[in-house]
Amino acid sequence: MTTADPRAKKRTKSSYLRHAAKKSRGSRELEAGMQGLLITCNMNERKCTAEAYSLLNEYADQLYGPEKFVEESNSEDEEDDDAEAALKKEVNQISASTQKQLRRFQALDSGANNVVFIRTQNIEPDKLAHYILKDLHTTKKKKTRAILRMLPVSGSCKAFMEEIPKYFETFLEPWFKDPNKATFQIVYKARNNSHMSRDDVIKALAGVVVNLNAENKVDLGHPEYTIIVEIIKGVCCVSVVRDYLLFRKYNLQEVTKNDVEEKSIKGTCSPPSNIDGHMGSKERLEEKELDKKAEEDGQELEPPVTGTGDAFQEQKSREQKAEKETCVYSENNQPES
């Protein structure tokens, strides 16, 4: 016959209720329906998260004012003899203050290595990200080391072809629905997802934009808006941003470089082959324009809005040909995450 350890402390009913309340406070990973920011880094996710909290709070204070904290009463030592009354009290507190208990920035598991997802509450992610990049681009002041890119997530849905077009139709209306019209490009990347086809997603998205207004056109050189699609596992994250190319694909390391640094970087690239030395000035100009368009990597292919297979394949082959002639530089010789 075994005897209970006298040192073991008996758990009260209220302690079980508190444990149940903690479990229901929310998920700790990226899910469909969330808004926030995807932040890429080089290996050091912990330092990246700390830098993100500091940077986001600094600029959020300027845009929205200081964060207002909700004080929670500490009742660890209180015991309620009436279990039914205690349970009712816990349920009421959870239902009434769940939104208030959420911080305006909360780091969650993104589902991919070297990617941190910061969930936002009562914050416009695209507005905040553009505000940060604009200031860094103007001041050229480097404020982070671990953070590479900061991509807003204005909306998210489940990563299934049955869901994505329906979600895009509603999500994209503020920018592209008649009478609104604009030029655009599409940037796509998938992480830890093998069942989604890049070409299918891009064609579906381009079709939705054109259906909203036939005057919406693709512009790879100077688009008014860039539609960013990031798929991580089973979640499709999307946002519509301005100045994507001006702000170096929303790369915090690149956007702070001055003209002298950029010229020195270009100087390290190998010169183009001389086999085309016979080309005239017009042809050279066209080649330079093609090289600029090829700055987007293989995961960032923008299709023509016509949606035809031949035109899409022609665009694809042009991008692949231009990639071979383009010298791509990355900070510290490391690829973007």
Side-chain angles (χ1 to χ4, degrees):
M1 185 175 181
T2 60
T3 58
D5 188 353
R7 294 174 296 179
K9 185 178 179 181
K10 183 179 179 180
R11 299 185 65 181
T12 62
K13 294 179 180 179
S14 58
S15 64
Y16 285 101
L17 294 173
R18 285 194 298 271
H19 178 68
K22 289 179 181 178
K23 290 183 65 177
S24 63
R25 285 182 181 177
S27 174
R28 300 291 301 178
E29 61 183 13
L30 172 63
E31 293 181 352
M34 291 183 175
Q35 289 185 330
L37 298 111
L38 284 174
I39 301 177
T40 65
C41 62
N42 280 336
M43 305 304 291
N44 197 337
E45 293 187 16
R46 178 174 296 181
K47 185 177 180 180
C48 172
T49 303
E51 288 185 352
Y53 276 140
S54 177
L55 189 69
L56 292 174
N57 280 302
E58 175 186 346
Y59 286 94
D61 287 347
Q62 299 177 21
L63 280 177
Y64 305 100
E67 182 177 10
K68 296 180 180 179
F69 298 94
V70 179
E71 296 184 0
E72 296 180 315
S73 59
N74 186 4
S75 58
E76 292 293 329
D77 298 329
E78 296 179 3
E79 295 184 3
D80 196 335
D81 295 333
D82 191 341
E84 184 177 355
L87 179 60
K88 186 176 180 180
K89 181 180 178 182
E90 291 286 349
V91 171
N92 291 337
Q93 288 179 346
I94 293 171
S95 60
S97 61
T98 297
Q99 297 298 325
K100 294 182 180 180
Q101 290 174 356
L102 293 176
R103 301 288 300 272
R104 65 181 177 183
F105 300 116
Q106 183 180 14
L108 304 180
D109 181 15
S110 68
N113 292 331
N114 299 324
V115 181
V116 176
F117 178 70
I118 305 293
R119 182 180 183 178
T120 59
Q121 184 73 14
N122 300 323
I123 296 286
E124 298 175 87
D126 53 341
K127 180 180 178 181
L128 179 59
H130 188 273
Y131 183 78
I132 294 173
L133 269 297
K134 183 179 180 180
D135 183 68
L136 297 180
H137 180 264
T138 302
T139 62
K140 300 298 181 182
K141 185 177 181 180
K142 190 173 182 179
K143 296 189 175 183
T144 63
R145 290 181 176 273
I147 296 176
L148 293 180
R149 303 174 72 197
M150 178 178 289
L151 303 176
V153 178
S154 300
S156 57
C157 64
K158 293 182 179 180
F160 296 102
M161 284 307 301
E162 297 80 7
E163 299 282 341
I164 289 178
K166 297 178 182 178
Y167 181 79
F168 284 160
E169 288 177 2
T170 303
F171 177 81
L172 296 174
E173 286 184 356
W175 298 276
F176 301 107
K177 186 177 182 180
D178 191 24
N180 297 327
K181 62 178 180 179
T183 57
F184 70 97
Q185 68 170 348
I186 301 170
V187 173
Y188 175 93
K189 189 173 184 63
R191 296 180 172 89
N192 297 339
N193 182 295
S194 58
H195 70 273
M196 297 296 297
S197 168
R198 178 191 61 188
D199 293 352
D200 290 345
V201 174
I202 293 178
K203 287 181 181 179
L205 177 52
V208 169
V209 175
V210 175
N211 289 336
L212 291 174
N213 190 336
E215 295 187 17
N216 294 322
K217 303 295 181 181
V218 167
D219 184 350
L220 305 181
H222 303 282
E224 296 177 60
Y225 296 111
T226 297
I227 304 173
I228 301 175
V229 179
E230 290 272 342
I231 295 180
I232 303 180
K233 288 188 174 181
V235 181
C236 175
C237 303
V238 61
S239 61
V240 180
V241 302
R242 295 178 288 116
D243 301 319
Y244 181 74
L245 298 180
L246 176 64
F247 294 160
R248 304 296 189 271
K249 303 180 186 178
Y250 278 43
N251 188 312
L252 272 62
Q253 304 301 319
E254 297 292 328
V255 78
T256 57
K257 292 178 179 177
N258 53 39
D259 295 337
V260 176
E261 289 177 320
E262 290 178 359
K263 288 180 180 179
S264 65
I265 291 170
K266 292 179 181 179
T268 61
C269 298
S270 58
S273 173
N274 292 327
I275 59 174
D276 294 329
H278 64 279
M279 290 194 305
S281 59
K282 183 178 179 181
E283 287 80 7
R284 289 179 182 277
L285 226 77
E286 291 176 352
E287 284 296 317
K288 289 181 179 180
E289 289 297 325
L290 190 61
D291 286 344
K292 289 181 180 179
K293 296 177 183 179
E295 288 180 358
E296 301 296 329
D297 58 27
Q299 292 288 342
E300 299 178 348
L301 181 63
E302 298 82 13
V305 297
T306 57
T308 61
D310 294 339
F312 182 64
Q313 290 299 327
E314 181 182 355
Q315 174 76 18
K316 194 172 181 180
S317 62
R318 286 181 60 198
E319 294 284 350
Q320 292 174 347
K321 179 182 177 182
E323 283 175 1
K324 297 178 181 178
E325 303 172 358
T326 303
C327 178
V328 180
Y329 175 84
S330 179
E331 175 93 353
N332 299 326
N333 294 327
Q334 293 180 351
E336 287 184 353
S337 297

